[in-house]
Amino acid sequence: MEILPISFYSQPTLELARSLLGCQLVKETQEGRASGYIVETEAYIGPVDQAAHSYNYKRTKRTEVMFGSAGFAYTYVMHTHCLVNVVSGEEGSPEAVLIRAVEPVESIELMYDRRGDKKEKDLTNGPGKLTKALGITREDYGRSYQESPLYIASGFTPVSVSQGTRIGIKNSGEARDFPWRFWVTDNKFVSR
């Protein structure tokens, strides 16, 4: 497993959202290391995207990390779930890629302990599910994806990638129709 170089994250956001598919998201905790292959992502381009927390360059304590360099974690709580993103775009242009689903790879029993008695496909098939299963929390906000305890490593190259509209952003004007969601075609861990 080779940690991806920082240069990987300098791609335009839509390309990065696609390129992250098949990469391995890893989180190390006191309980052990858990990981999964990224199988679903959504891109958010804040300056022009009403669905983004940073729409129209909205700078808050929560969105601050998005204005920095690409390759850092943007975590936040939505309802009761922590979600994890990869900061993208150039400095000053607040963009990010939400990791929506992963295929479990390492420490699957630990994931069951964290998530309860679930079907295997339900362990990590959503953005809140995968963070709980891997042990990713708000405390990971601002971490570089270059080193322990949270990093992204090489994985596999998807045979086929599908693209469509994002999920759960109904009140975001025309942005709700942007085809900025990407997933590994026919992967059973994709959220929908």
Side-chain angles (χ1 to χ4, degrees):
M1 183 170 32
E2 184 176 320
I3 295 176
L4 298 176
I6 195 69
S7 59
F8 174 83
Y9 301 101
S10 65
Q11 306 177 55
T13 299
L14 294 175
E15 290 176 27
L16 179 62
R18 184 182 285 268
S19 296
L20 283 165
L21 296 175
C23 295
Q24 192 168 355
L25 178 63
V26 183
K27 176 66 190 283
E28 296 176 352
T29 66
Q30 290 183 337
E31 299 167 297
R33 182 171 73 185
S35 69
Y37 293 126
I38 299 170
V39 296
E40 184 180 7
T41 61
E42 286 181 344
Y44 290 86
I45 301 177
V48 298
D49 183 357
Q50 285 181 288
H53 296 153
S54 57
Y55 173 58
N56 204 20
Y57 296 95
K58 183 177 181 182
R59 195 170 196 150
T60 64
K61 184 176 180 183
R62 179 167 88 163
T63 64
E64 186 63 33
V65 71
M66 295 174 71
F67 287 84
S69 301
F72 288 80
Y74 169 44
T75 57
Y76 60 92
V77 173
M78 179 68 67
H79 306 293
T80 60
H81 304 289
C82 178
L83 280 67
V84 65
N85 295 255
V86 178
V87 173
S88 56
E90 296 180 15
E91 276 193 57
S93 182
E95 303 176 20
V97 176
L98 173 67
I99 300 174
R100 280 201 58 85
V102 301
E103 178 179 329
V105 174
E106 189 173 23
S107 298
I108 295 172
E109 287 306 315
L110 177 56
M111 293 183 199
Y112 276 113
D113 289 346
R114 290 173 171 161
R115 292 268 301 125
D117 187 22
K118 308 286 181 196
K119 293 179 185 173
E120 184 187 32
K121 78 174 195 79
D122 293 331
L123 276 177
T124 57
N125 66 342
K129 295 175 182 181
L130 76 90
T131 54
K132 187 168 184 181
L134 296 180
I136 296 171
T137 67
R138 284 185 62 191
E139 284 69 44
D140 291 307
Y141 178 95
R143 290 192 194 277
S144 169
Y145 281 108
Q146 296 294 175
E147 60 192 11
S148 180
L150 180 64
Y151 52 96
I152 298 177
S154 57
F156 69 92
T157 302
V159 173
S160 178
V161 171
S162 296
Q163 181 176 353
T165 56
R166 296 171 295 181
I167 296 171
I169 56 169
K170 292 177 181 156
N171 299 323
S172 57
E174 65 184 21
R176 73 175 170 266
D177 298 321
F178 294 170
W180 291 356
R181 179 173 155 254
F182 303 89
W183 64 94
V184 175
T185 305
D186 297 327
N187 186 285
K188 72 178 184 178
F189 292 97
V190 170
S191 65
R192 293 186 195 180

